[in-house]
Structure formats: structure tokens, C-alpha cells
Amino acid sequence: MSNTRQVDAVVVGAGFGGLYMLHRMRKQGLTARVIEAGDGVGGTWYWNRYPGARCDIQSLEYSYQFSNELQQQWEWSERYATQPEILRYINHVADRFDLRHDISFNARVTSADFDESRNRWVVNTDTGETFDSRFVVMATGCLSSANLPPIPGLALFSGDWYHTGRWPHEPVNFSGKRVAVIGTGSSAIQSIPLIAEQASELVVFQRTANYSVPAHNQTLDPKRVAEVKAHYPQYRAANRETAFHADFGYSDRNALDVSAAERAAEFERRWAHGGLPFMASFADLMFNPQANQTAAEFIRGKISSIVKDPETARKLTPSGLVGCKRLCVDTNYYATYNQPHVSLVDINAEPIETVTTDGIRTSARDYAFDAIVFATGFDAMTGAMTRVAIRGRGGRSIQEAWKEGPKTYLGLSVNGFPNLFMITGPGSPSVLTNMLPSIEHHVDWIADCIQWTDQKQVAAIEAAEDAQENWVAHVNEVGETSVYPHCNSWYLGANVPGKPRVFMPYLGFPPYAEKCRQVVAADYEGFIKQHVA
Ligand code: NA7
């Protein structure tokens, strides 16, 4: 083991989770090494550089709160921050807290093996570095493993192709080009209006029509910024008490308890306000399919009033529930289809057969393209974990442990994988919340847990099997009270062929945080603790 570095912890990923984890560990006097595949910090915001990439949570909330100086001093420019601005922020954080020298960039963890005889992990990277570590923290993000559909012929394509989640660092110029976009999720909906501004022809290939509400993004009002900053901790604390840990202006009225006119007025008001708070118009939208349909019908009406060609409007109009696939937030998405050089292909009616040298062949015809953009999403929530050869007790792999879908306790720990933690893993609120405070909550929990193991002479800690089984059942029970499990979303793994269909996020931040607190108060109840011999 002469070329092996001894550390207290290996942290995988230098996004928001990995950076704060490193900061916390250093403050506790631990040695940590962060392994990052990219050549810079930022995670999601490092990779997703496609045109129009922007956060759908307000910038004043989508930011760290662990340092009051940081949150007071950083100035966001817009209501919803762009990807470049978020990347500037996270780079600022890396510099401000002097984090870079404990990060190995351009390195990918290839394997992590738990050595039961020593209660330590042996972690290998593709750059030949090996670490011998007491803890491993997977800060690999929920949306980082790109989903590239296996459409035949891509290798033959003579033009350029891109995935929105792996966008080049240098600007891509589509001026005068014939461009295809495959997919109509958030990434497509953000990028299509901007690609259309440049392209000579844009054809969007849609599998499922999606609901989107306008962002009404704007420059941040200095008065509003001053107001929030004057009471930042209170603002954060109030948001923490909401289901999604976000300032959505939740209503406690039910859609079905008010008249049709009152409903329409509230939907109009929310539409004019913009963004995800639309889904907080009424308390029952995510819990009662009938209530949900009133919101869905409202958006369907908006689509038919914006899109001039009735056939295109029909194709763009979703039929299912709204919000149970993540609601999209756009700037001019539907109106983009009114431009003569933009068209929409429903791939259910006209399936893509192959990519050709010159473009895309569907069952109906050949299309010629200079560029193809795959906006086809991610192997969400589990993909970044299962693509690493993580082997726990008895050499059992994480792929084997999760073959029926991810099983975790609190989305933090997996039975059979001692001293390995996940930041915002499946089974935690993660993607159903503002990710930043959920990340901070997990980092703090993990850092406190490590400190506790030191104080109590605990050599290894892992989820107990029964606690994990009960937690998975509970996550599903809570999910079933809502409409979420009832559409084909990436929350369920439904976007990736062959992935087990399991509702992965935990719905409701406050009860989750309370459960985490109770577990700690009861000396890490539900965890197996192996004391130092
Ligand atoms: P999403 O939301 O998963 O969207 C991916 C889109 O790509 C969606 O419209 C998919 O259709 C479509 N898709 C996926 N596979 C295929 C194939 N094989 N053929 C055609 N179309 C396909 O990913 P995004 O990157 O847009 O957004 C991810 C999250 O980032 C978002 O929710 C925000 O939280 C930020 P489908 O709907 O599955 O039929």
C-alpha cells in the first residue's frame, strides 16, 4: 500500500455537496480528499452549460447558508440565476474557503471496496490514485449520469451532436444551422427558444408533451434583496418549515373548495407571478387528481391560446397530471413554435428509426441536420452511484444491493456499506426540495455523525436492514398519498428503460428533518454500530 494515501474521508464530487462536505470535515480536523471528474468545481452547474440553463429555484434561496458573511456579501443579479452565474458563485466559494488544494480534478472514482478486517475503504481512481479511507461520502448529485438513448446510427452522423448535460465549454454557435432537439424536459424547454434564435431550422422530437409555466425572470429588485438579507436566517427558517423547503407562497385553500372563477383567478395570478410557485396555488393539487386536473386544464388553455397552429398546439398539449413530472419553467417556450422555422415531431406517431449520416430517419421520412441536441435527461438519483464499482461487506456490489431499486435508510446510508454516506441519496427529500438546504442538512448530519463515531469509539456505522426496509416502505407510503408515483417521471426511474420502477424521493422536508433529528437523539437509532476492538 506504499502508493496509497491515508485519509479520513474520500468525498466523490466537487459540486455543492462535495465542497461543503470538505469544508465541514476540515473544520472538524479531518483529512479529506475530493475526487472530481471535471476540471473545475460546480457539479451539475459545471456540466449543464447548454443555452438557457438556469435554476428554477430563486437565487436568494438557491445558495449556501452555512456562512452568514457569504450569504450577506454575495450579490445575485437575477431572480433565477443563470448557469454561468451559479458557476461563478461556486468558484467563489471554492476560493473563499480555500478548498481547491484538497480536490483531485479530472479524476473519476472507478472502485471503492470495503475492507472488513480494517473497517476502511480502498478507493481507486482512473488517474491511478489510491486512497485508504475510513469514510466515503458520495456527493455525486441526483442528475449527473447523462441518459443518452441508444438510437442506432449516431456514430455515422457527419454533423455535431451534444447532450445538454455534457455541454462543451466553448460556446456552440447554431447560426444558420439545421438543428434537431430530442426531448422536451426542462433542459429542452430552456434551450429550445435560444437555439431557435440562431438556427435556420429547428425540429423538436417529442416523446411526451410537458407542462411549463413562464419564469418571468427579472433583475433582482435591490429592495427585495435588502429585505431578505435583513432577516436571512428567519427567511431560511420559515422556508425550512415548508414541504419543499422553498418560498413558494403556499396556499392552505383547496382547489376543489373554491368556485371555478376563484380557481381561475388564482391560477392567473400565479401564472403572472411565474415559476414553480404555480403548484402552490392550492394545497390539494399534488394530493388530489381531480384538483390537479383543474391546474392542468388551466395550462392546457394557455398552450392553445399561445400556439397559433392548432395541430402543433394539440401535440404540445399534455394530457396527464401536472407537476408529478417536474414542472418546467420557461421563457417563451410555447411561443417559439409560432416561428416558421420551428417544428415539432411527435415520435409516438412518427418514431425515430435511426440517425443517418445526414440527420434523422423516422418511420415517415428523412430529416437533414447539421447538429443534434440530446436533451434526454439523466439516469436520475441512482445512476451516479451505480456506475461506480462500490463493493461493501462480503464484496457485495451496490448494483446487486439495489437491483430491485435503491434501498437506503434516510437516503444517507445503505445496509452492507458501512461508513459510506450519500448526500441527498434516494429516500431523502432531495429533488422534491430546494437542493441547497437539503445538501447542507445532509452534510451537517454526516459531519456530526462522524464526530459522534469518534467520540464513541465507533469503528463502523451502517443502516440496519430492518430500519432500511421500514424506511423504504415509509418513503413509498408517503409518496402514495400524492399524485407523484402516478406518472412516468424520472422520480420513478421511468425514463430509463429497464430501471426498476420505485418512487425515490421522500415527500416532505419537515417530517424528514424531524426523523433525522430523532435518530441522532436516540444514539443513531436504526444504525448498526461496531465499536473499536
Ligand atoms: P428530463 O426532464 O428527464 O427530460 C428528458 C426528456 O427527454 C423528456 O422529454 C423525455 O421524454 C425525453 N426522452 C428521454 N429518452 C428519450 C428517448 N429515448 N427518445 C426520445 N425522447 C426521450 O431531463 P432534463 O435534462 O430536461 O431535466 C432534468 C431535470 O433538470 C429537471 O427535472 C430539473 O430538475 C432540472 P419522456 O418525458 O421521458 O417521455
Side-chain angles (χ1 to χ4, degrees), residues 56 143 147 149 164 182-188 205 207-208 210 325-326 347 375-378 488 490 495:
D56 60 5
L143 296 164
N147 172 41
T164 48
I182 302 178
T184 49
S186 292
S187 304
F205 292 85
R207 184 163 75 179
T208 314
N210 228 328
K325 255 184 184 174
R326 192 178 178 103
I347 64 165
T376 43
F378 302 90
N488 291 325
W490 55 257
N495 61 326

